[in-house]
Amino acid sequence: LRPIPPPPLRKFGIHNGKLPLDLYQIYTARVLLAILGIRVRFQGLSRIKRLREDGLGTLGMFSHASNLDPIIVSAGPLAFKWVGKRVLFRVPIFGWIMTLWGHIAIDRKNLQKAKAAINGTVVEKIRRWGRSIAISPEGTRSRQGRLTDFKKGPFHLAQTVKLPITPIYIEGAWRLNPPKGVLAYPGKVLVDYLPAEHGEGTVEDMLVRVRRKLLKRAVRQQQQEEEEEEEEEEEE
């Protein structure tokens, strides 16, 4: 699915991720994270940059365990437009910035309105402007910092717009800002863009494959951390 370039900047070869508002989003998010003392390390950037250079979009499905996740996703190089609950957009300053950046608010309490927003606003941003959309397949934050059950809605969306799905693994945000936390603690966050899924098979097939990739990545991360702890103990 190739985007329809809108005038005037894209006529000069300026793609998503390089447009002025996109750059404003990316660097504002990075400044906010820096102010909070949060350092984000990105992996799998070559996969994302290849999509940006080709002018193609993707549906980013991220593991969701913290209110920091939307800012972290916004700080990436692709300038994702993410789907979030409407109450976040009513928060002074933060909500205004989200609206300015072009993110999509949905009313989770009203299923019909939520579906209308996804089938209307989200699909239009993808088909008309070639935007990449970020959405949590879990639907809400994990209370324990682990993957919860996935909803089918994002995978129905993937079939509708025929975009590849990029699983996005986020590690560390839950510890810095857990669900009941008011303030964020300084620290490190890892974001890994995993190999894309290309929408083959049924909704259930896609759901299982994406979930399996994120779970495998979480297990690998836990093993790495355990090995690092063992090495530190040996050094002591």
Side-chain angles (χ1 to χ4, degrees):
L1 180 68
R2 297 201 65 83
I4 303 172
L9 292 178
R10 297 185 199 193
K11 287 184 177 180
F12 298 96
I14 301 176
H15 297 296
N16 293 329
K18 292 294 187 179
L19 295 168
L21 192 58
D22 292 342
L23 294 175
Y24 172 70
Q25 168 186 313
I26 292 168
Y27 289 107
T28 301
R30 292 178 181 179
V31 168
L32 287 173
L33 292 169
I35 291 172
L36 293 171
I38 297 172
R39 291 168 290 173
V40 181
R41 180 165 61 94
F42 293 98
Q43 292 183 349
L45 283 173
S46 60
R47 303 184 181 104
I48 291 296
K49 289 180 179 178
R50 193 178 306 120
L51 289 170
R52 186 182 65 185
E53 291 167 0
D54 293 340
L56 299 175
T58 185
L59 194 60
M61 295 196 184
F62 61 94
S63 55
H64 190 21
S66 170
N67 278 334
L68 292 172
D69 294 337
I71 303 175
I72 292 167
V73 171
S74 296
L78 202 54
F80 279 101
K81 303 304 176 186
W82 51 265
V83 179
K85 58 185 179 180
R86 186 172 299 278
V87 66
L88 291 177
F89 290 75
R90 294 173 179 165
V91 177
I93 301 177
F94 177 79
W96 305 336
I97 292 173
M98 298 301 102
T99 302
L100 176 63
W101 285 350
H103 299 309
I104 303 106
I106 60 171
D107 187 353
R108 290 206 322 232
K109 295 180 179 179
N110 189 316
L111 184 58
Q112 294 302 319
K113 287 185 178 180
K115 286 183 177 179
I118 290 175
N119 293 329
T121 307
V122 175
V123 172
E124 181 186 14
K125 283 182 180 288
I126 293 170
R127 288 183 170 168
R128 189 175 184 185
W129 310 125
R131 302 301 322 200
S132 293
I133 302 295
I135 188 169
S136 168
E138 298 165 272
T140 188
R141 289 170 296 163
S142 165
R143 295 292 175 182
Q144 291 78 35
R146 297 186 295 270
L147 281 180
T148 57
D149 294 337
F150 283 9
K151 310 295 183 184
K152 292 182 180 180
F155 299 93
H156 282 292
L157 174 63
Q159 281 196 334
T160 299
V161 297
K162 303 186 186 311
L163 279 183
I165 299 171
T166 299
I168 304 173
Y169 173 73
I170 301 175
E171 171 64 32
W174 182 84
R175 289 192 291 269
L176 303 183
N177 181 237
K180 292 185 179 180
V182 177
L183 301 176
Y185 298 99
K188 298 179 181 179
V189 173
L190 169 69
V191 177
D192 194 356
Y193 301 106
L194 305 179
E197 286 288 337
H198 292 279
E200 299 174 355
T202 65
V203 165
E204 289 77 11
D205 291 337
M206 287 189 291
L207 186 154
V208 169
R209 291 198 301 269
V210 171
R211 182 175 174 80
R212 184 180 295 128
K213 282 188 176 183
L214 287 169
L215 283 171
K216 285 184 177 180
R217 184 61 183 86
V219 170
R220 192 165 82 245
Q221 183 66 26
Q222 184 176 0
Q223 291 173 342
Q224 289 175 355
E225 291 178 356
E226 290 175 352
E227 290 174 359
E228 290 174 0
E229 289 178 2
E230 290 178 359
E231 291 177 359
E232 290 178 358
E233 290 177 357
E234 290 176 358
E235 291 177 358
E236 292 177 356

